Amino acid sequence: MPIAKLTIELEIPHAQSLKDRRQVLRSMKDKLRHSFNLAIAELDDGMVWNRATLGIAAISSSTSYLTGQLHQIDHAVHRIAANLSAEITDSYAEILPE
């Protein structure tokens, strides 16, 4: 069963505190979970207020379905980040074979 892995690196220029950072990340994670059937987690330690790394994982029996879903998730992440005044500095996807 293939597993899709997407890593997103964010910059949150307006974050002046850990609270600002958490608000942006919580909103993004909630919106993605609501729209897609995926697992999402913060991958960094949260010591820097204006940067964050998110890890997203999805699983399916079809590699082609996962490829399409990764494109949709990536597009949604960019749209959500723009609405939250955050910037995507890097994103990379990988599909782990069976």
Side-chain angles (χ1 to χ4, degrees), residues 55-68:
I56 300 171
I59 189 168
S60 175
S61 60
S62 168
T63 303
S64 62
Y65 174 77
L66 284 177
T67 302

Side-chain angles (χ1 to χ4, degrees), residues 14-31:
H14 66 277
Q16 298 297 315
S17 66
L18 189 57
K19 184 177 179 180
D20 292 341
R21 179 185 187 272
R22 285 185 185 149
Q23 181 180 8
V24 169
L25 294 179
R26 185 176 300 125
S27 179
M28 179 170 282
K29 291 189 307 188
D30 289 346
K31 289 177 183 184

Side-chain angles (χ1 to χ4, degrees), residues 1 7-8 11 21 24 26 30 32 39 41 50 66 73 80 88 92-93:
M1 189 174 312
T7 305
I8 306 290
E11 185 171 340
R21 179 185 187 272
V24 169
R26 185 176 300 125
D30 289 346
L32 288 172
N50 62 350
L66 284 177
I73 293 168
I80 293 167
I88 306 294
Y92 42 99

